[in-house]
Amino acid sequence: MAYSGIGGQAVIEGVMMKHKDTYAVAVRKPDHDIVVEKKTYQGICRNDTLKNLVFVRGIISFVESMVLGLSTLTFSASFFEEEDKEGQKKAKSEKKEKAEMGFTIILSLLLAVAIFMVLPFYVSLFFQKYIHSETLVILIEGLLRLSIFFAYILLISRMEDIRRVFMYHGAEHKCINCIEHGMDLTVENVKASSKEHKRCGTSFLFFVVVITIIATMFIRVDSRLLRLILRLAIIPLVAGISYEFIRLAGRSDNPIINMLSRPGLWMQRLTTREPDEEMIEVGIASVEAVFDWKSYVETVREKETT
């Protein structure tokens, strides 16, 4: 497998692909036509030194992914909005859209911290009354966090709309795997490719949870409030470490790295589904808008023959 530098995400009835500073969103409209929007995204940070600084770049990348992801989701959803009485979609001003997007991101982050960090911490305090081993209590807290993560994914995967998003998620991975394994980007080749990928956001979130469990083992203070504050304070560091591992995994076929990547790939079985041919066509359209896969595949083949 060769690293292509292309990444993406599933959106509503579509796929977003990003390569360097260019991204494209391909959406299958209700009339079954594919619409593709291609744009440049320079990100929230213009400082090249910070963007390339180990651990820091992971935090920046995570925030930028959230901003871009929400923007592309909003774009894809616009094709399925209810029409008003005059048959025209309600248009929002750009300023209002950005304000709503900013509010949604902040609210999402606060809810994520409350559910995945604060809630397990306070539940673990109940066990502290009966268990005297601090290490065991921390492990229980970590297992609670992991259980909530699993339960959340299982719960949303039962929703019909989310199942379709997971199918497009599979199409996104299959397209990237197809070209990174030196195959032409055709529907048949994409169908034969894996729907799991080592650079997936699901793997990133899984490693955030696992590394948080390990990191909290070293937080040993008496004050409950300070313990909680320190748990929240390490989130950026944990995100940075998780990003570096995912980044390394996407560029390496080292057996040890592959072994460590497996739990994240297993998690992707919950967040990806086998796509149909129409979904694969959408994924291909998105790739072709931002990436010259033919030249890339030729280079991969040349390296394999030398």
Side-chain angles (χ1 to χ4, degrees):
M1 186 185 75
Y3 174 69
S4 64
I6 189 171
Q9 74 164 55
V11 294
I12 298 170
E13 294 300 323
V15 174
M16 182 274 285
M17 290 290 187
K18 184 175 181 291
H19 183 244
K20 296 181 180 178
D21 292 333
T22 307
Y23 75 91
V25 191
V27 178
R28 177 78 69 178
K29 296 195 298 180
D31 62 6
H32 291 282
D33 284 343
I34 299 174
V35 62
V36 180
E37 181 182 71
K38 179 180 175 181
K39 284 188 176 181
T40 299
Y41 181 65
Q42 295 179 338
I44 60 169
C45 179
R46 306 293 174 87
N47 189 311
D48 290 335
T49 303
L50 280 176
K51 288 180 82 170
N52 293 306
L53 195 63
V54 177
F55 300 127
V56 175
R57 63 189 174 192
I59 301 165
I60 294 170
S61 177
F62 174 67
V63 176
E64 288 183 343
S65 295
M66 280 198 69
V67 174
L68 181 60
L70 190 56
S71 174
T72 53
L73 273 170
T74 303
F75 171 76
S76 64
S78 68
F79 294 97
F80 304 92
E81 290 175 349
E82 288 185 8
E83 295 183 347
D84 61 19
K85 290 179 182 178
E86 297 176 0
Q88 296 176 338
K89 291 180 181 178
K90 296 174 183 177
K92 291 180 183 176
S93 68
E94 190 176 339
K95 189 176 179 180
K96 188 177 179 182
E97 256 188 27
K98 285 183 177 178
E100 287 181 357
M101 196 180 301
F103 175 76
T104 303
I105 290 171
I106 292 168
L107 182 62
S108 299
L109 286 171
L110 289 174
L111 283 172
V113 168
I115 295 168
F116 294 106
M117 295 298 295
V118 179
L119 179 61
F121 172 73
Y122 278 106
V123 173
S124 71
L125 295 179
F126 170 78
F127 292 96
Q128 200 172 28
K129 297 176 183 178
Y130 307 99
I131 300 171
H132 299 294
S133 170
E134 191 174 352
T135 300
L136 186 54
V137 172
I138 292 171
L139 277 174
I140 290 170
E141 180 189 345
L143 289 172
L144 282 169
R145 192 169 289 123
L146 203 55
S147 299
I148 291 170
F149 182 56
F150 276 116
Y152 171 75
I153 292 176
L154 285 171
L155 185 65
I156 64 170
S157 66
R158 293 179 177 275
M159 300 166 63
E160 179 60 33
D161 289 343
I162 297 298
R163 277 203 293 269
R164 288 193 63 80
V165 172
F166 285 174
M167 290 171 77
Y168 277 104
H169 191 194
E172 175 224 330
H173 283 186
K174 280 173 168 283
C175 286
I176 297 173
N177 276 320
C178 179
I179 57 177
E180 289 190 338
H181 284 83
M183 296 189 294
D184 288 341
L185 194 62
T186 64
V187 172
E188 288 306 313
N189 285 342
V190 172
K191 283 172 71 175
S193 299
S194 172
K195 65 181 178 68
E196 284 88 36
H197 196 283
K198 289 188 288 184
R199 287 189 286 113
C200 175
T202 303
S203 292
F204 169 78
L205 291 174
F206 174 77
F207 284 111
V208 165
V209 174
V210 172
I211 294 170
T212 299
I213 295 170
I214 297 168
T216 50
M217 287 290 179
F218 299 94
I219 301 174
R220 307 286 180 118
V221 291
D222 293 330
S223 169
R224 290 180 179 180
L225 180 60
L226 185 56
R227 260 185 285 162
L228 179 59
I229 291 170
L230 289 173
R231 277 161 170 71
L232 299 178
I234 64 170
I235 293 174
L237 176 62
V238 169
I241 294 169
S242 302
Y243 172 84
E244 293 302 327
F245 177 77
I246 296 297
R247 188 175 185 272
L248 174 64
R251 291 166 165 78
S252 172
D253 271 328
N254 181 284
I256 296 173
I257 297 296
N258 287 341
M259 182 183 70
L260 292 172
S261 297
R262 278 177 195 159
L265 296 176
W266 293 336
M267 278 297 301
Q268 290 175 42
R269 293 178 184 177
L270 298 175
T271 62
T272 59
R273 296 283 188 273
E274 285 295 334
D276 58 32
E277 290 190 2
E278 284 198 342
M279 293 173 174
I280 290 171
E281 288 169 357
V282 172
I284 291 173
S286 187
V287 172
E288 291 183 330
V290 295
F291 191 68
D292 182 5
W293 65 265
K294 291 180 182 177
S295 298
Y296 173 80
V297 166
E298 248 180 58
T299 305
V300 172
R301 288 172 182 170
E302 284 173 9
K303 286 180 180 177
E304 287 176 349
T305 55
T306 55

